[in-house]
Every structure is written in C-alpha cells, then in structure tokens.
Amino acid sequence: MTLPAEMAVAWRRVPAGVERRTVSRALLGELLPGAPFASRCPRCGGDHGRVHVGGTDATVSVSYAEGWAVVVTAPGWRRVGLDAVPASASGFDRVLPGGDARSWARVEAVLKADGRGLAVDPLRVRFADPVVPGVEWTASIDDGATMVGWDVAGPSGVILAVAADPGAAHPR
C-alpha cells in the first residue's frame, strides 16, 4: 500500500556537526513552503517534542534513525505519527513481547499520532485486520483511540511506519 496522495514522506542524511533538528526542519520547509514550525515540550517547556505547524491545516511528524532525519506531512489530517527504526535494531521483545523493529515502528507511530507518545504503555496498542480501503493496517489503543497506518519505504536499512487519525476530514 502507499500513503494517501496528500501525505508525503521525505528523508535526508544528517551531516556530521549539523543538529538533526536543523535537517528535519529544512525537509518540512521544502514540503510545506512558508509554514512556520514550532516544538514545545508540554512537560518541561523545552524546544523539543511534537512539531506544530502554523498557517496551514497540515500536521507533521518527525523521527530520526541511523543518522537520518525523516519527516511526514499530512495536509487535511488532524493527527499523524511517524517512526523510523534501524532494521538491525533488536531487544524490542523486552517491552513488546514478540516484537521486532517493524512492530515497534508501527506501535511508536500510533502513539505519536495519538499525541501521548510513550506516556502510553506500548502494550495497550492492538492491531487488527485493515477495515479502511487503501489502508495497510489499523490499530487501536485500549482506551478507544483508533489509527490507520502504512509501512512505507525509507532510507536503506531503516524501517518506517506512518499512522494517522482516520476521524479527521481528509480527501480520499
């Protein structure tokens, strides 16, 4: 499956000596020209965390893995989450029984789209057969939040997953 046409995923190598946030913001600026981006951590107030977009109805998500900055833009969607995981990563079964890099990327994308991130126990995410046309997978969090998702191509050696809230008004 491919992402809906209005969504876009992009990635770029983070050069030595360059802050990864600088690279991700440059990618976002290329995909949503002229839109301002801001991050503010709800816990500490620091300039990190979920990226918010001004001046447009788009939502975005950012992830980093193996020296790559990866972004997704989703005009018309209320919430979107992206996770990038090195394909060679292991140890996920300690927090996600039977988990591998692909399942972890999906879980983290769902939790990012939900907006609470790892404040929610990853074990609360459940996957079901797709029930939405054109969607690769569906997931729910046991408190009722439902997301749709896609496994997407990314840089070599990096697994990407995108999740989005299907309750938003969006083109189909």
Side-chain angles (χ1 to χ4, degrees), residues 87-133:
S88 61
S90 62
F92 296 109
D93 56 339
R94 289 179 295 191
V95 290
L96 194 64
D100 58 9
R102 169 82 52 215
S103 58
W104 181 257
R106 289 175 177 174
V107 165
E108 182 109 25
V110 167
L111 295 176
K112 284 181 168 183
D114 174 68
R116 294 176 287 174
L118 291 173
V120 174
D121 183 344
L123 294 175
R124 293 178 55 195
V125 177
R126 305 271 187 253
F127 291 89
D129 292 330
V131 294
V132 179

Side-chain angles (χ1 to χ4, degrees), residues 63-66 83-89 92 100-102 104-105 108 157-160:
S63 191
Y64 306 96
E66 301 264 304
D83 196 42
V85 178
S88 61
F92 296 109
D100 58 9
R102 169 82 52 215
W104 181 257
E108 182 109 25
V158 178
I159 293 171
L160 302 182

